[in-house]
Each structure stands twice: as C-alpha cells, then as structure tokens.
Amino acid sequence: MSSLANIILFLALVTTSIMVAVMYVKLKKLDRYHAEYQQIFDRTGDALKGAQTAVMSFGAEGKETLAMLGARIEEAKAVAAQLETLKREAGRHNQPRSNSLNS
C-alpha cells in the first residue's frame, strides 16, 4: 500500500515538475514579448513626440509665413494704388488739348 502511494506521489511530482517547466518556458517567452512590446511603445512614444514637435513647428512657421504674406499683399496693394495713380496722372497729361491746338 505504501509503495502504491509512493508511485502515485512520484507521478504527481513528475507531472507537476513537467508542468512547472512548461510554465517556465511560457513565462520566459512572455517576458521576451513584454520586452519587445516595451521597446515598441517606447519607439512609438518617441515618434509621437517628434510628430508633436513637427506639428508645433509647422504651426509656428505657418503663422510666420502667413504674416509675411499679409505684409507682402499690403505692399502689393500700395504699389498697385501708386501705379493706378501714376497711370491716371499720365493719362491727364497726355490728353490732347483741343483749345490750344485750334487757336
């Protein structure tokens, strides 16, 4: 009877040892996956920080470009107005004077 109990306990111990070994292998694999996921998340975080910096830089540069463009448009409007004024004045000076020619 004691020998039967020892055999059962030995089989239980062997089965438990095998299960522990299998679980150990699975935990090692899970640990490697966890390390890989951690690296991926770290890289993703760095990429998101870079994207955020780029967007902020783009926004600031866009505002600056827009301000410069607005200034150039105002300059162009002023030059166009000056040209229009000069054109009108040149038109007045170049009109034939009918009174002075007929006299």
Side-chain angles (χ1 to χ4, degrees), residues 60-70:
E61 290 174 4
K63 287 179 185 177
E64 184 179 318
T65 302
L66 191 60
M68 289 186 337
L69 183 61

Side-chain angles (χ1 to χ4, degrees), residues 3-58:
S3 140
L4 181 62
N6 285 340
I7 291 173
I8 292 173
L9 287 175
F10 179 73
L11 289 175
L13 178 63
V14 169
T15 304
T16 303
S17 297
I18 291 171
M19 293 302 291
V20 166
V22 169
M23 289 301 292
Y24 179 77
V25 169
K26 286 183 180 181
L27 284 173
K28 279 295 191 181
K29 186 185 281 187
L30 183 63
D31 195 34
R32 283 193 303 268
Y33 288 153
H34 175 69
E36 289 175 11
Y37 284 131
Q38 186 64 41
Q39 289 175 350
I40 290 169
F41 284 129
D42 290 343
R43 289 183 200 153
T44 302
D46 292 341
L48 287 175
K49 286 178 187 175
Q52 180 183 17
T53 302
V55 167
M56 290 173 62
S57 175
F58 181 72

